[in-house]
Amino acid sequence: TTIGGGPQPLLTDADGVARATVWLEADDGTGMAPSRRLLERGPLQDGVTDRGFRLDPRDLSLVLGIQATTMADLWDARDALHRLLKPRSALLSLRYDLENGQARQIDGALTKGLQASSKDRKGYTMRLALTLSCPDPVWYDPTPVALTFGASGGATGMAIPWTVPWKLGATNIAQSRSILYAGSWLSFPTVTIVGPITSPVITNAITGDKLDFTGTTIAGGASYTIDCRYGQKTVVDSAGANQISKLTSDSDLSTFCLLPDPDAPGGANTLSVSGTGVSSATQVYLTYSTRYVGI
């Protein structure tokens, strides 16, 4: 469901003419995600010890307006909304297209609303309130960001056109790149390493977290995909086999992420890639969603 740009066709006739339109009339709860402090208190302690925080799920309150051309179209429009928003196992995706040209999306499920009180109906127009409960309260840009870390080998080194050009040796890679992360909430990326490469290590210098495969060789034509997102935390090879055991014990799969400003000043996250035995086929791909604590 997309919110923005004024009334949207909900039902059309055979000629494409709108029989009913729907628009967002009011919303609440789209701003800062709710949070709580994690507090502990000892038996003789004055005050409390603050252990940090966690975000809580959020509820979005929405009011939709429907304008139909006939009473029959109004009933059909209500049926269309019921089909679209009815409870189901999969979450709904709600997208806001903002006037600044950006998009924000969040996933949730209908938990209350669409009661359709007659006092909210005037002629062929009706207002419908609903509550969308979002287990993950963080908004995200629906278009993911994809970056490629090329790792070409050459007899005398090869220039790579990053912001600060650097050289790769014949078979080794040990270089860094600054990624400007534009979100306001941390993002857990997916990293794909395409061989050949031996002992690949990917490090975020801002957090100190690393994905370390020291002692492991990824053959040419093979790849490892590391999914750092919460609820995933997996490492699989191109054949679909679990390779999480190839990470060293001091790797940081659970916390490896991109930090927003001010945790990373200006949103600049410095990522480094190292390894040996690379060739022109070696690549490291980084994909992430830009996430926002509110809109």
Side-chain angles (χ1 to χ4, degrees):
T1 301
T2 298
I3 301 297
Q8 305 290 322
L10 182 60
L11 295 175
T12 58
D13 61 20
D15 297 323
V17 178
R19 296 168 49 203
T21 58
V22 62
W23 63 91
L24 178 66
E25 191 164 301
D27 60 17
D28 185 46
T30 60
M32 182 72 73
S35 64
R36 69 177 64 197
R37 305 303 302 184
L38 304 178
L39 306 177
E40 293 180 355
R41 189 168 194 169
L44 300 177
Q45 182 179 3
D46 294 321
V48 295
T49 300
D50 192 320
R51 298 296 188 186
F53 71 95
R54 291 293 184 272
L55 297 185
D56 284 336
R58 79 160 82 216
D59 285 344
L60 296 178
S61 299
L62 308 175
V63 178
L64 303 180
I66 301 176
Q67 175 67 63
T69 55
T70 67
M71 184 56 70
D73 289 339
L74 182 60
W75 291 118
D76 288 344
R78 286 172 55 169
D79 282 342
L81 281 179
H82 293 158
R83 287 192 298 272
L84 177 66
L85 299 174
K86 67 179 180 291
R88 54 168 66 90
S89 296
L91 297 178
L92 298 167
S93 293
L94 176 67
R95 169 173 167 161
Y96 278 62
D97 287 327
L98 307 178
E99 286 78 3
N100 61 4
Q102 299 180 356
R104 300 287 184 272
Q105 190 162 302
I106 198 167
D107 303 322
L110 179 71
T111 54
K112 291 189 296 184
L114 294 186
Q115 299 303 302
S117 173
S118 60
K119 64 182 176 61
D120 293 324
R121 186 177 70 237
K122 294 182 179 180
Y124 308 145
T125 301
M126 189 162 196
R127 300 169 72 249
L128 293 167
L130 61 98
T131 298
L132 196 69
S133 294
C134 306
D136 183 346
V138 178
W139 296 84
Y140 60 93
D141 188 325
T143 302
V145 178
L147 301 174
T148 302
F149 293 71
S152 301
T156 59
M158 178 179 177
I160 304 298
W162 285 356
T163 304
V164 179
W166 47 271
K167 299 276 188 179
L168 288 175
T171 59
N172 299 338
I173 176 175
Q175 301 295 336
S176 299
R177 179 179 183 180
S178 180
I179 296 174
L180 295 180
Y181 176 62
S184 59
W185 197 252
L186 50 84
S187 180
F188 295 90
T190 297
V191 180
T192 300
I193 307 171
V194 180
I197 189 170
T198 296
S199 297
V201 180
I202 300 171
T203 305
N204 187 336
I206 298 297
T207 64
D209 289 347
K210 65 179 180 177
L211 303 171
D212 190 338
F213 292 92
T214 296
T216 295
T217 296
I218 303 174
S223 66
Y224 279 16
T225 297
I226 307 100
D227 193 338
C228 301
R229 295 174 299 167
Y230 185 83
Q232 305 298 321
K233 308 298 182 186
T234 56
V235 180
V236 296
D237 63 20
S238 46
N242 182 4
Q243 299 292 350
I244 198 168
S245 64
K246 299 298 178 62
L247 280 171
T248 61
S249 60
D250 59 346
S251 290
D252 303 288
L253 179 61
S254 62
T255 56
F256 192 89
C257 67
L258 300 177
L259 291 181
D261 181 65
D263 302 300
N269 289 254
T270 302
L271 297 190
S272 65
V273 178
S274 64
T276 62
V278 303
S279 77
S280 59
T282 306
Q283 299 283 346
V284 178
Y285 300 99
L286 181 78
T287 305
Y288 64 89
S289 294
T290 308
R291 293 172 19 110
Y292 301 86
V293 73
I295 61 172

